[in-house]
């Protein structure tokens, strides 16, 4: 009764206090990229119930209905590198990589613990810890583990991710080092989905009673990556206006050496293949037992120049530019185990090597009003020979309130090796696809006072690679045009908050390029505090909606989403949430998808894959610094 009374008082009190924002600018900061400017961490977690990438503003996915299982973005993203990759795109939202590692600088040890518990034995734990060993040397770890049984039979995701990073700079700042190590282990049960027709016609039912298409399929994948980046300023001037222990090289010429090493292994087993589920059977009709492994070396040596703006001269420009050459080498092995489960025979189907020799360059200039960045890559020889990438980004502040932005990405890139050559029991292809030519243009305007932004985008793609209705890699002969508009705003009136993201897009080839016409996420919530600001609260609704479109299916044998031509009908997905902050602890309670079944059972996210039932989830985030 006291809790309901407190919530009632929160709703009627006239206070305008907003959710507390605890910033530790003087204690903790981080670099999201090597050698970038330090950024202050924001501990507000004002929408901390959005821990799942699927539920975050501006992100839209087709997925399998369970946290930790594969997902596919419904918005096109231009390539950021020419180098071939073997990381499955369907799991990229979860994976830790050395490229995404953060580098920290702390005056005190810092720890962030996150724990989430939900129905169907969902357990989520994340631990972040960082501290400076010396004023010039920092180490950090980030560990995440989650296990989610799911609502369907054989729907389990049991994954673990770990990354460690370090940065060091010499006393005179001429030598700087960044290093990172990442580990990902995925253990997934694969059920192939359920029968759509049966589920749609039976009304309310416990999903655990529905038979899956695949009854004995599973995948285990593991990846390890190591990166070491060293920079040495052999010409450099100190800037005495910059405080001690910060970036005191005002102007400098440097050598940069980066070394990367990655190992990826994946193993897929199906001990009871369903009739007509796979396109073909190449080696064994009774069992599928495939694995592949990849080892990749990548080394880049660059020469660069950087300058940093003194604190007493905001109007001066600062620059950072480099050009370098690199080599990428890889070894790929495909295996198949044939025969009985107990003692299968191991066969190496294919052994392949590949290499790339490339040039890479970057230039960046900025002052207090403008930021301009340009980076490019050209592959001289090898698998991606004669491919080129150019990417330009600019932001300009007309005033402190009005900000303009623009970007253009122009790429000629040969598809990843997996799409050209693959060997397994159920899928084998050896293609010779032409390089894909793509151009992505974005222009935008942001009003920081009213928290409104509008962005227009235009994508032109020639030679697009997709997976057809048989889940086979295919190249389109059409020129794909994908244009659209993104509107975002955060409106406030007293305690009422309305955050919105609306994407409207067109697509000239829906049979080959999946792009729903309308995608939106809306948050409406009350924000205030109780007990003299001791308990900041957010109470509200978080909903998403997509228009009808020809959607994806998922093929577990290749970890790829394919164009199924199955119509995914619209359904409102709505969550109710309460976020609270008590001292250094942040807590959320969420009733997820509480409209499940209200408008029927037609709430599919991909072919044969419905969303989960309504679920209660509780999360606690606790950060410590001492």
């Amino acid at each position: 009764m006291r809790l309901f009374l407190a919530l009632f008082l929160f709703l009627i009190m006239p206070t305008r206090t907003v959710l507390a924002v605890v910033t530790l600018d003087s204690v903790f900061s981080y670099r999201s990229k090597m050698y970038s400017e330090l950024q202050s961490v924001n501990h507000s977690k004002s929408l901390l119930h959005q821990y799942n990438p699927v539920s975050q503003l501006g992100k839209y996915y087709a997925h399998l209905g369970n946290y930790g299982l594969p997902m596919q973005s419904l918005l096109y993203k231009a390539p950021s590198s020419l180098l071939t990759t073997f990381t499955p795109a369907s799991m990229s939202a979860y994976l830790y990589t050395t490229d995404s590692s953060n580098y920290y600088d702390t005056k005190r040890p810092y720890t962030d613990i996150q724990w989430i518990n939900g129905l169907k034995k969902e357990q989520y734990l994340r631990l972040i810890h960082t501290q400076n060993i010396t004023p010039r040397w920092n180490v950090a770890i980030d560990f995440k583990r989650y296990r989610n049984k799911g609502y369907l039979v054989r729907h389990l995701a049991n994954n673990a991710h770990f990354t460690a990073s370090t940065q060091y700079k010499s006393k005179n700042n001429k030598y700087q080092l960044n290093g990172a190590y990442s580990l990902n282990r995925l253990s997934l049960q694969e059920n192939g989905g359920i029968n759509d027709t049966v589920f749609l016609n039976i009304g309310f039912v416990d999903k655990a009673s529905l038979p899956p298409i695949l009854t004995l399929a599973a995948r285990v994948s593991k990846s390890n990556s190591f990166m070491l980046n060293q920079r040495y300023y052999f010409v450099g001037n100190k800037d005495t206006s910059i405080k001690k222990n910060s970036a005191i090289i005002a102007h400098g010429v440097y050598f940069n050496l980066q070394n990367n090493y990655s190992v990826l292994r994946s193993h897929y087993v199906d001990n009871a293949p369903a009739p007509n589920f796979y396109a073909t059977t190449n080696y064994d009709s009774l069992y599928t037992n495939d694995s592949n492994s990849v080892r990749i070396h990548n080394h880049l040596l660059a020469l660069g120049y950087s300058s940093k703006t003194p604190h007493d001269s905001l109007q001066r420009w600062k620059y950072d530019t480099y050009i370098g050459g690199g080599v990428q080498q890889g070894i790929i092995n495909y295996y198949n185990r044939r025969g009985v489960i107990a003692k299968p025979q191991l066969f190496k189907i294919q052994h392949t090597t590949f290499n790339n020799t490339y040039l890479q360059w970057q230039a960046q200039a900025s002052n207090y009003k403008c930021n301009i960045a340009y980076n490019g890559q050209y592959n001289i020889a090898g698998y991606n020979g004669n491919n080129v990438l150019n990417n330009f980004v600019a932001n300009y502040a007309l005033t402190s309130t009005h900000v303009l932005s623009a970007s253009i990405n122009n790429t000629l890139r040969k598809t990843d090796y997996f799409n050209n050559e693959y060997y397994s029991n159920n899928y084998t292809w050896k293609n010779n696809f032409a390089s894909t030519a793509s151009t992505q243009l974005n222009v935008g305007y942001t009003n920081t006072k009213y928290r409104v932004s509008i962005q227009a985008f235009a994508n032109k793609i020639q030679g697009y690679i997709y997976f057809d209705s048989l889940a086979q890699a295919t190249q389109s002969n059409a020129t794909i045009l994908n244009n659209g508009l993104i509107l975002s705003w955060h409106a406030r009136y007293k305690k009422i908050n309305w955050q919105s993201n609306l994407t409207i897009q067109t697509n000239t080839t829906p049979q080959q390029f999946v792009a729903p016409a309308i995608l939106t996420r809306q948050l409406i919530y009350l924000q205030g505090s109780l007990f003299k600001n001791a308990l900041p609260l957010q109470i509200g609704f978080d909903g998403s909606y997509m228009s009808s479109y020809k959607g994806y299916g998922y093929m577990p044998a290749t970890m790829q989403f394919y164009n199924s031509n199955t119509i995914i009908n619209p359904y409102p997905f709505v969550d109710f949430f309460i976020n609270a902050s008590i001292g250094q602890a942040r807590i959320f309670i969420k009733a997820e998808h509480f409209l499940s079944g209200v408008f029927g059972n037609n709430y599919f996210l991909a072919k044969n894959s419905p969303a989960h039932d309504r679920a209660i989830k509780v999360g606690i985030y606790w950060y410590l610094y001492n």
Side-chain angles (χ1 to χ4, degrees):
M1 179 61 70
R2 291 181 179 179
L3 175 60
F4 286 109
L5 178 60
L7 292 176
F8 176 74
L9 291 174
F10 162 74
L11 294 176
I12 65 174
M13 285 189 302
T15 176
R16 297 189 182 185
T17 304
V18 298
L19 187 69
V21 178
V22 183
T23 56
L24 307 176
D25 295 6
S26 61
V27 177
F28 175 73
S29 54
Y30 76 101
R31 290 181 172 92
S32 58
K33 294 292 184 181
M34 292 179 293
Y35 311 123
S36 63
E37 296 297 315
L38 283 172
Q39 305 172 36
S40 298
V41 70
N42 184 353
H43 294 280
S44 66
K45 295 292 183 183
S46 60
L47 296 174
L48 58 117
H49 68 282
Q50 294 183 337
Y51 71 97
N52 190 337
V54 170
S55 62
Q56 294 171 3
L57 273 169
K59 297 182 179 180
Y60 304 97
Y61 295 93
H63 57 101
L64 304 186
N66 195 19
Y67 182 79
L69 293 182
M71 61 177 67
Q72 174 72 33
S73 176
L74 296 172
L75 297 175
Y76 177 74
K77 183 179 179 182
S80 59
S81 173
L82 295 180
L83 301 183
T84 190
T85 177
F86 292 86
T87 302
S90 59
M91 297 300 294
S92 60
Y94 304 109
L95 300 181
Y96 284 178
T97 67
T98 54
D99 289 338
S100 62
S101 296
N102 289 331
Y103 301 92
Y104 301 85
D105 186 10
T106 63
K107 294 184 179 179
R108 305 178 193 173
Y110 170 85
T111 304
D112 193 346
I113 303 172
Q114 304 173 12
W115 174 81
I116 297 169
N117 186 55
L119 297 179
K120 299 298 179 181
K121 299 182 180 180
E122 179 179 0
Q123 299 283 341
Y124 174 103
L125 174 66
R126 185 176 183 182
L127 171 66
I128 302 173
H129 177 78
T130 181
Q131 67 181 81
N132 277 29
I133 307 302
T134 71
R136 297 182 298 276
W137 179 28
N138 176 274
V139 295
I141 61 170
D142 186 342
F143 171 77
K144 181 167 62 176
R145 174 71 186 272
Y146 49 90
R147 187 181 189 278
N148 198 344
K149 181 181 178 181
Y151 284 75
L152 300 174
V153 178
R154 298 196 60 78
H155 212 212
L156 174 70
N158 186 7
N159 302 338
H161 311 276
F162 173 80
T163 185
S165 63
T166 185
Q167 69 166 349
Y168 169 81
K169 53 188 176 183
S170 63
K171 190 173 183 179
N172 62 5
N173 250 35
K174 286 185 175 292
Y175 176 74
Q176 300 176 15
L177 176 146
N178 288 73
Y181 169 79
S182 67
L183 168 68
N184 299 280
R185 188 182 187 279
L186 311 176
S187 181
L188 310 175
Q189 290 181 341
E190 305 282 12
N191 62 16
I194 60 174
N195 187 295
D196 293 14
T197 305
V198 173
F199 180 67
L200 287 171
N201 294 332
I202 58 178
F204 178 78
V205 66
D206 180 6
K207 291 187 177 65
S209 66
L210 298 174
I213 295 175
L214 301 178
T215 58
L216 290 173
R219 177 177 293 277
V220 174
S221 296
K222 185 177 180 180
S223 64
N224 296 268
S225 299
F226 172 77
M227 185 280 299
L228 184 66
N229 196 95
Q230 301 175 81
R231 177 175 291 189
Y232 179 74
Y233 286 87
F234 60 91
V235 176
N237 298 321
K238 291 186 178 181
D239 192 326
T240 57
S241 68
I242 300 180
K243 295 180 180 180
K244 185 180 180 181
N245 295 330
S246 71
I248 60 174
I249 297 292
H251 301 273
V253 181
Y254 60 84
F255 279 121
N256 202 104
L257 176 63
Q258 182 172 322
N259 305 96
N260 297 269
Y261 176 69
S262 300
V263 178
L264 301 92
R265 296 183 178 91
S266 190
H267 186 195
Y268 177 70
V269 175
D270 186 355
N271 291 323
N276 303 318
F277 183 78
Y278 303 109
T280 58
T281 298
N282 296 314
Y283 308 109
D284 194 325
S285 61
L286 298 178
Y287 312 109
T288 290
N289 198 336
D290 296 321
S291 61
N292 56 71
S293 66
V294 182
R295 289 181 174 86
I296 302 175
H297 299 262
N298 185 24
H299 309 282
L300 173 68
L301 178 63
L303 175 68
Y305 166 79
S306 69
S307 71
K308 300 186 182 299
T309 306
H311 288 262
D312 57 357
S313 179
L314 294 178
Q315 295 191 28
R316 283 179 52 183
W317 287 81
K318 56 183 176 182
Y319 308 93
D320 194 334
T321 181
Y322 74 81
I323 185 170
V327 175
Q328 182 193 46
Q329 295 178 324
I331 301 173
I332 312 165
N333 290 309
Y334 296 98
Y335 299 94
N336 174 253
R337 292 169 173 82
R338 308 175 202 172
V340 297
I341 301 175
K343 294 182 179 180
Q345 294 179 284
L346 177 64
F347 292 86
K348 181 182 290 187
I349 307 173
Q350 185 72 16
H351 169 86
T352 304
T353 62
F354 72 93
N355 63 82
N356 281 305
T357 304
Y358 62 94
L359 294 175
Q360 184 169 303
W361 56 89
Q362 175 178 297
Q364 182 172 350
S366 61
N367 63 10
Y368 75 108
K369 293 187 67 173
C370 184
N371 182 73
I372 302 172
Y374 166 69
N375 65 281
Q377 200 173 50
Y378 175 70
N379 278 32
I380 302 171
Y383 175 77
N384 293 91
N386 294 319
N387 285 183
V388 63
L389 178 149
N390 290 286
N391 188 61
F392 175 83
V393 179
N395 296 280
Y396 182 75
L398 297 171
T399 67
S400 59
T401 301
H402 306 284
V403 181
L404 301 178
S405 61
S407 67
I408 184 168
N409 179 292
N410 184 265
T411 304
L412 180 67
R413 183 183 187 272
K414 193 171 183 178
T415 188
D416 287 335
Y417 195 92
F418 170 90
N419 298 336
N420 255 334
E421 191 169 344
Y422 186 72
Y423 302 89
S424 72
N425 187 37
N426 301 116
Y427 288 91
T428 294
W429 56 70
K430 190 170 184 179
N431 300 311
N432 187 25
F433 292 142
S435 297
T436 300
S438 64
T439 301
Q440 183 174 69
L441 174 65
N442 295 274
V443 292
Y445 164 78
T446 300
N447 186 301
T448 57
K449 180 180 179 180
Y450 295 104
R451 288 163 294 196
V452 175
S453 69
I454 181 170
Q455 177 184 325
F457 65 86
N459 298 309
K460 180 181 178 181
I461 313 168
Q462 295 174 304
Y464 177 68
I465 307 296
Y466 66 101
F467 289 81
D468 62 18
S469 59
L470 297 178
Q472 300 271 10
T474 307
Q475 185 166 40
S476 171
N477 293 322
T479 297
I480 296 172
L481 301 178
N482 170 225
N483 306 319
L485 200 65
I486 301 175
L487 302 173
S488 300
W489 63 84
H490 183 177
R492 283 183 185 172
Y493 177 73
K494 296 184 178 181
K495 295 180 187 178
I496 302 174
N497 286 258
W498 179 20
Q499 286 187 248
S500 173
N501 180 272
L502 172 64
T503 299
I504 302 171
Q505 60 181 344
T506 61
N507 171 24
T508 57
T509 53
Q511 297 286 350
Q512 302 170 357
F513 186 84
V514 176
I518 300 174
L519 309 98
T520 185
R521 177 168 291 276
Q522 308 289 329
L523 289 93
I524 299 177
Y525 56 93
L526 299 172
Q527 181 167 290
S529 64
L530 293 173
F531 310 119
K532 297 181 179 180
N533 299 333
L535 182 63
L537 282 174
Q538 290 179 328
I539 303 175
F541 297 92
D542 184 343
S544 65
Y545 177 88
M546 289 183 285
S547 60
S548 175
Y549 67 101
K550 291 184 177 180
Y552 287 108
Y554 177 70
M555 175 46 63
T558 57
M559 294 189 78
Q560 294 291 331
F561 282 85
Y562 64 92
N563 296 12
S564 69
N565 292 324
T566 298
I567 298 297
I568 304 298
N569 290 301
Y571 196 96
F573 294 91
V574 181
D575 306 336
F576 172 77
F577 66 89
I578 300 176
N579 295 325
S581 178
I582 307 173
Q584 294 175 201
R586 297 151 289 163
I587 303 169
F588 78 81
I589 302 173
K590 177 166 68 167
E592 197 168 80
H593 190 28
F594 73 85
L595 294 182
S596 170
V598 173
F599 303 105
N601 288 354
N602 198 13
Y603 46 85
F604 283 83
L605 306 166
K607 180 183 178 181
N608 300 326
S609 297
H612 60 72
D613 293 332
R614 64 180 59 87
I616 303 297
K617 299 186 179 183
V618 178
I620 300 175
Y621 294 42
W622 193 286
Y623 64 90
L624 308 168
Y625 56 100
N626 48 43

